[in-house]
Amino acid sequence: MKDKVSNIKPPCIVACPVHADIQTYVGYIGQGRFKEALDVIREGCTLPGSLGRICNHPCESECRRNKVDEAVSIRSIKRFAADVCMGLPHPDPIPKIKGKKVAIIGGGPSGLTAAYDLAKDGFDVTIIEKNDACGGAIYTGVPKYRLPKDIVAWDVEAIASLGVEIKTNTEVGKNISFNDIVKDYDAVLIAIGLSISRGLPIPGADAEGVLLALPFLKMVNFDESAKAAKRVIVIGGGNVAIDVARSARRIGAEDVKMFCLESDEEMPASPWEIEEAKEEGVQMFPSWGPKEITVKDGKVVGMVFKRCLSVFENGMFNPKFDECELTEVETDNVIFSIGQGADVSGFVNTELSVDERGRIAFNPSTMQTNMKGVFACGEVVTGPGAAVAAMKSGHRAATAIARFLETGKAAALHLSEPTAIGQVPDSVVDIITKLPRTPVEMANPVERATNFGEVEFGFDQKTAMFEARRCMSCGAGARIIEEKCAACLTCVRVCPYGAPYVREARVANFALENCQACGICAAECPALAIDIKLNIDTGIAVRASRSLDEPFITAFTCQYSVPEVLNPDTVKTAPLAGVNQVAMLCNNRIDTLHILAAFEAGADGVLVAACPDEKCRHNKGVDWPKIRVDRAKDMLNGIGLGADRLEFAKVAKGSAPGLASAINTFKDKIKELGPSPASKQLTPSK
Amino acid sequence: MIVAEPKSLDEIKAMTEGFDRILMVGCGTCTTVSLTGGEREVNLMATALRLARKVEGRDIEIGEQTILRQCDFEYIDELKDVDSYQAAVSFACGAGIQGLARKFVGKPVLPGVNTQFIGFNEEYGYFTEQCKACGDCILHLTGGICPVARCAKGLLNGPCGGTNNGKCEISKDKDCAWVLIYNQLERLGNLEQFKKIIAPKDFAKAGNIRSMDLRKAGD
Ligand SMILES: Cc1cc2nc3c(=O)[nH]c(=O)nc-3n(C[C@H](O)[C@H](O)[C@H](O)COP(=O)(O)OP(=O)(O)OC[C@H]3O[C@@H](n4cnc5c(N)ncnc54)[C@H](O)[C@@H]3O)c2cc1C
Ligand code: SF4
């Protein structure tokens, strides 16, 4: 809930409504630091297990890899982070140091997110939820084949474990009065979402066999014995309608037809949802409007549609029909899935105002309703959207409430939005190494349409790490330290991507759009005036009390050459035994200085493991690591340590066995050479 | 810019043999640009020397500071704690090394680089000599190419018999300056100039103990 500082960010982060720090967590996954990745995810996306499965991932549409090959599979990487950490204990409770109580009415994504932020800030938070569990529409609405209930429960438990009290089966207006809540708490947040399904007042709409989306989905989710008729018509073209159609298939409907006003291209459902529904045998009938339901003996027997010519006029919903072009379809069920509305019945006869659309009236800049200290967030104020958008609203509300409780006043929030780095220039696209996107495995369509097992299988560790390593670390590369820059233009001459350029005939400047964070320039700059923002781990360990009997080896690798053996306690891949592994973003960053510094820190031997030329993403004909190793070897001879103590190995990216064997062979060699004569006295003189 | 080449670690080891507290001073101008005397090289040499001494069995202390230029007192004055060191190694050109020596009174100031020439940065890490600082410039007569610096013999009227398909007899990697001059004069439409004999230069202007006093200009 920190105010976002105005700055330039990778487009994925900018596109994500909660501005999750995608670059950092994707990087952590690539390096085998899974728990750390999850911690980063949660700060923005408070329900990682769930959203790792169902998020509409606007981040991926903006990924700069789209222009090079295909977007990084960010959502599936997030899912992996959650799944791999599911065995870990939940976070510890946060002390309620603020001494203020906040009630949150509604435990959907927006309310839960606000609860997370406020609890982390030290407030005493209670969620009041009418259902038997939290999760909101992703618990009651989203079908199990996309999001199993135990995943939602795991996400909710993690928030509860921070010390958030959750009162389930408590409906405001029924089991507890709104006015009492307002009296008992220092601030109240209304996050009740949109829980009423809309129907249409057409002839026959009250017949038996006509259903509404949300009750239908709730039944499918919680009633094991739910059965559908043989033929089902779903009215609507959004994601909810698709959920209804695919669920109907799973409870026995053989003939499922979706009718919607929109044309094929205009259908609001996500393209991948439409595709998956079609694979499961759902038939789509776009550009048809409902005219009437045919009823026999009080029961649905069919439905008449009229051709829809257009849906929008000047951006406003204003459908035009051809009343002469009609079609009649036989069916046993009609399920309306055309939108949701707010249920504010629990707040009648209170001071709270409702707007003309039946949603809670509020001031979007302060998040406050017409009542002092009563705030609102989520879909009940924003209208329908994606869960991550509801989370954004929850973060905003938490910030507003925290300020209100600290100052006694609701103030306008000025949360500055980051701006995105521009596209990769065409000239750079051509030289960036192409790495195809890792496909996510899906269950067989014929089989999956018969049950509620998850349709999408997550990545395993290897694929998740591989996919994460496709990230281009946008904007995490070179930064000039202007005070130190000697305007020598070395960076301009060595960069393979044309990132540094001469500005106003003076110093070098860096085009963020071009830079690939390879680090070549930083290791060549004679004035040490270039920083690589994302240096993974340049800390060179000092040999403190390590015995002189065991060789002390420092291995410089690229961040991707980390071993893959998982330590289940830390959910981190274990380091190689007896070796200080220093992971650079790319070994083109390795500097002769790093090598000498490792010897000064007490290393008996130093191994530089670079990817083979054809595997290195950034090697464009110059083997920079080798040039630097050669210089260091020369110096080691002069120093009296001898060049033998430095080894240059080419190890395939991500090949743990390759790296381990290179290290072991080298260790044996160093064992024979004996301890470094420079490590006998260990008083670092700097 | 003035181009300098690094001294070998062996030489620096020998020069600094007797000292336990040494200041290494980088120069942020010419030698940084020629990649041999900036903060990076100072850091590298300092680390190498410390390690070398450790191998010999002793710990020494090396201070590392880089200033914008060592040919100006004002910048040299920015150096900190100079008194605590026994000796200084300068990574500037000869002018800078001597500038430092004038401030580092009573203590040895040692050269960390070999100053080479006034040069041009052809490409990354490759510098070529362009000017001998002769004090009597004739570039207007030679198509902007200096025969004093770029002809192996420094001929003012060339080429000599050693010219070989545009290269110099001393190496097939070196261009014959006089062929370059001919080609450029041709491009300038001024081959007439090529036929003129250039009179001997006043080499007194390139003599020793040179100085320049601009203060006289206003008299
Ligand atoms: C079928 C369906 C599928 C969806 N699929 C996706 C998807 O794939 N991806 C995606 O990003 N988004 C999806 N969404 C949207 C997403 O679920 C919503 O954006 C999100 O749940 C909205 O969060 P919210 O907190 O505003 O409201 P809700 O999730 O609706 O939560 C409101 C909570 O308030 C409780 N409540 C209401 N009234 C009271 C009361 N009087 N007293 C106490 N508690 C009360 C409700 O029980 C509920 O738990 C889907 C929505 C639906 C309906
Ligand atoms: S980090 Fe690499 S890509 Fe970025 S400016 Fe430096 S050399 Fe160029």
Side-chain angles (χ1 to χ4, degrees):
Chain A
M1 65 191 292
K2 293 152 227 126
D3 285 11
K4 302 281 185 307
V5 186
S6 152
N7 48 14
I8 297 182
K9 295 273 184 197
C12 53
I13 296 182
V14 175
C16 172
V18 297
H19 306 316
D21 192 353
I22 295 163
Q23 186 170 71
T24 303
Y25 77 70
V26 168
Y28 280 161
I29 296 288
Q31 298 155 36
R33 296 157 71 178
F34 307 136
K35 169 68 170 61
E36 286 158 272
L38 183 65
D39 291 342
V40 172
I41 295 171
R42 279 212 170 108
E43 280 300 302
C45 171
T46 52
L47 306 168
S50 303
L51 280 260
R53 287 167 167 81
I54 64 148
C55 190
N56 62 335
H57 52 76
C59 52
E60 291 185 23
S61 323
E62 295 305 313
C63 174
R64 288 165 89 241
R65 246 200 195 279
N66 277 312
K67 200 172 161 186
V68 177
D69 35 46
E70 279 174 283
V72 174
S73 200
I74 301 169
R75 178 177 63 76
S76 299
I77 289 171
K78 174 171 36 224
R79 169 177 172 170
F80 169 77
D83 289 1
V84 75
C85 291
M86 267 180 204
L88 287 186
H90 283 307
D92 290 333
I94 309 280
K96 295 167 181 169
I97 49 164
K98 294 279 165 71
K100 295 265 165 80
K101 285 164 54 180
V102 183
I104 298 179
I105 305 173
S110 70
L112 287 165
T113 298
Y116 176 92
D117 283 353
L118 290 166
K120 280 218 140 182
D121 249 19
F123 292 102
D124 183 353
V125 182
T126 305
I127 294 179
I128 298 163
E129 167 57 52
K130 78 172 172 194
N131 286 323
D132 63 346
C134 282
I138 65 172
Y139 170 61
T140 54
V142 177
K144 288 176 278 194
Y145 63 84
R146 288 205 294 129
L147 176 55
K149 300 298 158 208
D150 56 335
I151 303 293
V152 183
W154 179 80
D155 277 334
V156 173
E157 276 159 25
I159 294 175
S161 75
L162 299 174
V164 173
E165 190 188 344
I166 298 179
K167 291 186 177 161
T168 51
N169 296 315
T170 312
E171 181 171 351
V172 173
K174 201 164 164 191
N175 313 100
I176 183 169
S177 94
F178 175 58
N179 288 336
D180 284 349
I181 298 174
V182 172
K183 241 187 288 142
D184 290 347
Y185 291 85
D186 300 298
V188 179
L189 177 61
I190 303 174
I192 56 174
L194 304 174
S195 53
I196 298 180
S197 262
R198 291 220 193 85
L200 278 180
I202 53 171
D206 50 3
E208 193 186 325
V210 178
L211 307 171
L212 298 174
L214 294 186
F216 174 78
L217 288 170
K218 205 166 176 178
M219 172 186 79
V220 173
N221 267 325
F222 301 109
D223 179 357
E224 299 272 316
S225 63
K227 272 259 161 284
K230 204 163 153 204
R231 297 168 304 179
V232 172
I233 285 179
V234 181
I235 311 292
N239 282 332
V240 176
I242 301 252
D243 281 343
V244 169
R246 294 176 73 184
S247 296
R249 284 284 290 125
R250 284 168 171 75
I251 55 168
E254 287 163 22
D255 176 359
V256 179
K257 296 187 169 75
M258 280 180 65
F259 285 83
C260 64
L261 298 177
E262 293 87 354
S263 66
D264 222 359
E265 305 82 59
E266 290 169 331
M267 265 180 85
S270 312
W272 56 89
E273 288 278 343
I274 298 173
E275 209 34 58
E276 288 169 25
K278 283 185 183 165
E279 285 172 6
E280 291 171 10
V282 174
Q283 306 155 61
M284 309 280 168
F285 297 87
S287 299
W288 287 106
K291 186 173 165 65
E292 61 189 41
I293 294 167
T294 328
V295 183
K296 205 173 161 194
D297 302 330
K299 279 194 186 150
V300 176
V301 291
M303 188 156 178
V304 183
F305 294 90
K306 50 191 175 182
R307 179 56 81 192
C308 180
L309 301 171
S310 69
V311 186
F312 299 98
E313 196 177 54
N314 301 326
M316 301 289 279
F317 182 74
N318 187 14
K320 296 270 182 321
F321 299 100
D322 177 353
E323 302 283 346
C324 300
E325 189 183 345
L326 301 179
T327 184
E328 178 160 13
V329 188
E330 289 181 3
T331 189
D332 309 310
N333 271 148
V334 170
I335 309 177
F336 281 109
S337 187
I338 55 166
Q340 287 91 247
D343 176 3
V344 294
S345 59
F347 303 85
V348 291
N349 301 327
T350 70
E351 261 179 69
L352 193 70
S353 297
V354 170
D355 69 13
E356 67 284 355
R357 307 165 90 163
R359 299 178 191 153
I360 308 274
F362 89 131
N363 175 346
S365 127
T366 61
M367 306 298 284
Q368 196 174 232
T369 64
N370 64 311
M371 293 172 68
K372 188 176 177 195
V374 177
F375 297 79
C377 72
E379 294 196 338
V380 74
V381 293
T382 61
V388 65
M391 284 183 175
K392 175 188 182 141
S393 175
H395 282 303
R396 275 180 67 84
T399 307
I401 291 171
R403 287 197 192 162
F404 169 77
L405 291 177
E406 271 150 24
T407 64
K409 279 199 291 275
L413 299 174
H414 298 289
L415 308 183
S416 56
E417 291 287 314
T419 29
I421 300 164
Q423 280 297 341
V424 186
D426 295 342
S427 57
V428 180
V429 167
D430 295 342
I431 38 179
I432 293 177
T433 306
K434 313 290 178 283
L435 299 165
R437 176 174 160 117
T438 319
V440 180
E441 256 194 89
M442 305 280 289
N444 172 293
V446 179
E447 249 166 60
R448 74 189 188 217
T450 63
N451 60 61
F452 282 92
E454 247 189 302
V455 295
E456 195 186 283
F457 307 131
F459 284 147
D460 62 16
Q461 184 182 317
K462 214 178 162 76
T463 42
M465 288 174 80
F466 179 82
E467 183 60 19
R469 292 164 181 177
R470 294 180 62 238
C471 173
M472 302 199 301
S473 309
C474 304
R479 294 278 193 286
I480 192 132
I481 307 166
E482 286 210 23
E483 317 82 83
K484 292 177 93 180
C485 174
C488 71
L489 307 183
T490 300
C491 52
V492 177
R493 298 187 176 109
V494 299
C495 175
Y497 302 101
Y501 61 94
V502 175
R503 185 190 51 181
E504 289 161 11
R506 230 182 63 79
V507 290
N509 203 33
F510 287 79
L512 278 179
E513 290 80 5
N514 294 49
C515 177
Q516 301 296 308
C518 66
I520 292 171
C521 58
E524 290 302 312
C525 175
L528 300 180
I530 298 171
D531 245 357
I532 299 294
K533 200 177 141 210
L534 215 73
N535 265 333
I536 298 307
D537 179 13
T538 44
I540 294 166
V542 175
R543 176 187 206 141
S545 55
R546 292 276 291 269
S547 94
L548 285 176
D549 307 333
E550 246 320 274
F552 184 70
I553 307 281
T554 297
F556 292 96
T557 66
C558 86
Q559 64 160 328
Y560 303 137
S561 292
V562 291
E564 283 159 13
V565 185
L566 191 69
N567 176 339
D569 297 331
T570 54
V571 192
K572 204 173 178 169
T573 50
L576 291 164
V579 177
N580 288 310
Q581 190 180 354
V582 182
M584 303 277 177
L585 190 56
C586 162
N587 247 351
N588 277 303
R589 173 73 186 89
I590 182 89
D591 191 322
T592 312
L593 285 173
H594 290 130
I595 299 171
L596 292 194
F599 281 107
E600 204 171 24
D604 297 314
V606 172
L607 178 84
V608 174
C611 306
D613 298 353
E614 71 286 359
K615 292 278 181 209
C616 171
R617 249 185 239 197
H618 302 298
N619 184 322
K620 309 290 172 197
V622 185
D623 195 342
W624 290 107
K626 175 150 196 320
I627 291 171
R628 294 161 192 157
V629 165
D630 286 348
R631 172 116 201 253
K633 283 193 173 214
D634 247 18
M635 298 196 95
L636 287 173
N637 283 331
I639 287 166
L641 282 170
D644 281 356
R645 290 187 182 270
L646 173 59
E647 182 107 339
F648 183 58
K650 295 273 186 186
V651 177
K653 190 199 303 286
S655 161
L659 183 62
S661 102
I663 287 179
N664 286 333
T665 317
F666 182 56
K667 245 185 172 171
D668 290 344
K669 176 170 158 189
I670 295 298
K671 214 166 192 166
E672 243 164 66
L673 287 174
S676 155
S679 73
K680 283 179 205 137
Q681 302 168 34
L682 291 166
T683 40
S685 51
K686 245 179 80 184
Chain B
M1 126 215 49
I2 294 170
V3 175
E5 117 195 309
K7 274 193 182 290
S8 73
L9 180 58
D10 280 343
E11 211 178 331
I12 291 185
K13 260 162 66 180
M15 276 191 288
T16 57
E17 183 53 62
F19 308 113
D20 290 330
R21 285 196 320 286
I22 302 165
L23 178 64
M24 289 195 171
V25 187
C27 182
T29 307
C30 297
T31 57
T32 294
V33 178
S34 72
L35 308 179
T36 47
E39 195 173 325
R40 157 180 302 283
E41 285 302 303
V42 167
N43 195 326
L44 203 57
M45 270 306 172
T47 313
L49 186 60
R50 272 195 305 268
L51 271 170
R53 295 298 183 228
K54 247 182 202 170
V55 170
E56 292 165 5
R58 64 188 171 115
D59 266 330
I60 64 165
E61 190 191 319
I62 303 179
E64 297 167 34
Q65 297 180 40
T66 297
I67 55 177
L68 187 58
R69 282 201 297 275
Q70 290 184 32
C71 49
D72 282 303
F73 285 137
E74 290 82 349
Y75 292 125
I76 297 176
D77 285 342
E78 302 264 290
L79 289 171
K80 293 179 195 75
D81 304 326
V82 283
D83 293 341
S84 65
Y85 298 98
Q86 300 161 325
V89 181
S90 163
F91 289 78
C93 68
I97 299 168
Q98 293 174 68
L100 193 62
R102 281 160 71 172
K103 276 283 162 182
F104 224 76
V105 186
K107 288 177 189 171
V109 171
L110 316 165
V113 294
N114 297 320
T115 305
Q116 295 288 316
F117 50 76
I118 298 174
F120 189 83
N121 207 341
E122 300 280 351
E123 56 183 74
Y124 168 69
Y126 179 49
F127 305 87
T128 52
E129 180 167 19
Q130 301 288 324
C131 170
K132 285 278 186 207
C134 72
D136 186 16
C137 193
I138 52 157
L139 282 169
H140 58 302
L141 305 177
T142 57
I145 291 154
C146 176
V148 184
R150 296 170 68 185
C151 165
K153 295 174 179 161
L155 295 179
L156 291 188
N157 296 283
C160 71
T163 186
N164 182 10
N165 289 322
K167 298 293 173 190
C168 174
E169 64 181 326
I170 64 160
S171 156
K172 23 181 216 319
D173 300 330
K174 300 251 186 288
D175 289 326
C176 168
W178 275 101
V179 172
L180 296 177
I181 292 168
Y182 179 92
N183 290 340
Q184 178 61 4
L185 287 174
E186 186 175 38
R187 275 192 287 269
L188 294 170
N190 192 15
L191 277 178
E192 273 310 299
Q193 171 62 39
F194 197 77
K195 294 181 191 157
K196 292 183 189 156
I197 301 294
I198 298 177
K201 285 160 58 74
D202 178 1
F203 282 101
K205 291 185 175 169
N208 275 345
I209 333 180
R210 278 192 279 180
S211 64
M212 178 179 79
D213 193 350
L214 294 178
R215 292 169 301 184
K216 289 186 205 130
D219 286 354

